[in-house]
Amino acid sequence: MTAVAVAAVTGALLWLFLAWSGRPDAPVRIDAVKTAFGVGAAAGGVFALWLATRRQRTLELQLAETTRVASVTERDLEERRVTELYTKAVEQLGSEKAPVRLGGLYALERLGQDNPKQRQTIVNVLCAYLRMPFQSPKKGIRGADAVRRADEDADYDAAELQVRLAAQELLKTHLAADHPAFWPGMSIDLQRANLVDFRLSGCEVAVADFSHATFIGSVHMRGTTFAQKTGFYGTRFTELANFDRSVFAAGAYFSWARFEGVARFARTRSEGGMRFHHTTFAAEVVFEHSKHEFDLEGATFAVEPELPQTGTK
C-alpha cells in the first residue's frame, strides 16, 4: 500500500516537473527526476510515519481493551469466589452439628476480614443467627463450666450455647475500637435476641437496637460508643448491667425495660438524653457523675437512687 502510494506521488511529480521545465536537454530532465524522486521519498516517509503511528495507536487501544476485559473477568471471578464462600459458610450455619456451625461462623469472619465490603452483611448474618429462637440457660455461666451435665440443667443445648457465645465474641472482637481487626461503621440489630453473658465493652457501634432482647447473666457495655440513637425498649436484664462511661451520642431509649440486677450508668455521656419511661429497677441503680438529661417518667425503684443533680425529669 505504501509502495503504491509513493510510486503514484513520484510519477505525478516527475510528470509535473518535466512538463514545467519545458526544456528537452538532459541535465534539466535529470534534475527534475531527482527532485521528483526526492519529494516522493519524503512524502513516502511521512506517509509511512503516519501509518506507523496509526498502527501503534491501534495496538495501544487493543491492549487497553484486553486489559479492561481481563480486569473485569478477574473481578467477576473474585466476586463469584466470595459469593461461593459466603453461601457455603451460611449453609454450614444451618447444620445440625455444632462444630460445623462453628466452622461456618469462622469462615464468615475470615471472609469479612479479607473483604471489607462484605463486613456489614456478615455482621447482619451473625445478628440474625443470635436472633434465632433459643432456649437459654436460666442464668449466666461466667466462671462456670459452659458444658454442664444434662442433669444439672436440661433446659438448653450446651453445644448450641457454645456456638452463640462464639458469635457474640466475634461481634465484640470486630467492634472493639482498639482491636487490630476492628470493623468501623458497623450496625447491629439484636431485637428479641436471647443473649448470654453479653460483652461489648470498649466498642464503637454506628446503630444498635436491643429492643425486647433478654440478657441472661451480666452485661458489660462499659466505655462503649453508640453513634446514633440506641434502642433498649422493653429489654430485660437478668443480672448486672454495666454501662459505666459509655457514650450515647444521639441518646438512648430504655423505656419499659426491666433491670433485675444492679444497673450502672456512672459517668455516661449523651447529647440526646436517656429515656427511662416506666422502666423497672428491681435492684440498685447508679447514676453518679452523669450530668446529661435523664427522663425517669414513670420509672420504679426497689432502692431509691441518688439521682443526678441536673438534667433529671
Side-chain angles (χ1 to χ4, degrees):
M1 181 67 181
T2 304
V4 173
V6 171
V9 170
T10 302
L13 290 172
L14 180 60
W15 179 80
L16 286 174
F17 285 146
L18 289 175
W20 174 74
S21 66
R23 297 174 60 183
D25 50 313
V28 173
R29 290 180 176 275
I30 291 172
D31 288 340
V33 170
K34 288 181 178 180
T35 301
F37 275 106
V39 174
V46 172
F47 188 68
L49 180 61
W50 176 78
L51 285 179
T53 302
R54 183 175 179 181
R55 187 179 297 111
Q56 178 65 26
R57 178 58 179 166
T58 300
L59 290 174
E60 290 176 354
L61 291 175
Q62 290 176 344
L63 179 60
E65 179 64 15
T66 301
T67 303
R68 186 189 69 81
V69 172
S71 176
V72 170
T73 301
E74 183 178 354
R75 186 167 60 251
D76 289 345
L77 290 174
E78 178 63 19
E79 290 180 354
R80 186 179 305 171
R81 184 186 70 85
V82 170
T83 300
E84 290 175 352
L85 290 173
Y86 171 81
T87 302
K88 183 178 180 181
V90 171
E91 288 176 351
Q92 287 180 287
L93 288 180
S95 172
E96 295 182 355
K97 299 179 179 179
V100 177
R101 297 197 296 276
L102 277 172
L105 288 178
Y106 291 114
L108 283 173
E109 180 200 25
R110 289 196 302 272
L111 186 61
Q113 193 63 26
D114 296 337
N115 300 273
K117 292 182 179 180
Q118 303 297 324
R119 290 175 179 175
Q120 183 60 65
T121 299
I122 290 169
V123 168
N124 293 345
V125 172
L126 294 178
C127 290
Y129 187 85
L130 290 171
R131 293 197 305 269
M132 296 290 286
F134 168 60
Q135 184 63 45
S136 61
K138 295 182 177 65
K139 58 183 180 179
I141 58 173
R142 289 285 175 177
D145 183 4
V147 186
R148 299 178 178 179
R149 297 195 308 271
D151 58 353
E152 289 185 20
D153 191 344
D155 293 335
Y156 76 96
D157 184 344
E160 170 60 9
L161 177 59
Q162 290 299 304
V163 179
R164 287 172 173 267
L165 291 175
Q168 292 179 185
E169 190 63 26
L170 288 178
L171 285 178
K172 182 183 183 303
T173 295
H174 294 295
L175 297 177
D178 60 352
H179 196 282
F182 174 52
W183 295 354
M186 296 294 103
S187 299
I188 54 177
D189 180 1
L190 289 169
Q191 299 180 72
R192 303 183 185 280
N194 282 349
L195 306 168
V196 181
D197 296 322
F198 194 74
R199 302 292 189 270
L200 208 64
S201 296
C203 293
E204 291 184 5
V205 185
V207 180
D209 196 346
F210 299 92
S211 296
H212 299 287
T214 298
F215 289 93
I216 305 299
S218 59
V219 180
H220 289 276
M221 298 190 196
R222 189 173 186 273
T224 301
T225 298
F226 299 93
Q228 298 186 33
K229 194 175 291 294
T230 308
F232 291 92
Y233 188 90
T235 303
R236 178 186 172 212
F237 301 86
T238 64
E239 297 182 29
L240 169 68
N242 188 348
F243 291 93
D244 287 354
R245 299 181 183 276
S246 286
V247 177
F248 299 92
Y253 286 95
F254 287 87
S255 299
W256 298 99
R258 179 177 178 81
F259 293 87
E260 298 174 5
V262 175
R264 295 192 56 87
F265 293 92
R267 295 180 173 82
T268 55
R269 292 188 290 124
S270 174
E271 294 296 328
M274 298 174 67
R275 183 173 296 178
F276 294 90
H277 284 188
H278 303 283
T279 302
T280 299
F281 295 95
E284 181 186 7
V285 57
V286 179
F287 292 119
E288 65 181 5
H289 303 298
S290 295
K291 297 183 179 181
H292 55 80
E293 181 179 310
F294 283 88
D295 190 344
L296 299 169
E297 179 183 345
T300 58
F301 303 91
V303 179
E304 197 63 30
E306 182 178 345
L307 298 177
Q309 297 299 312
T310 61
T312 303
K313 293 184 179 180

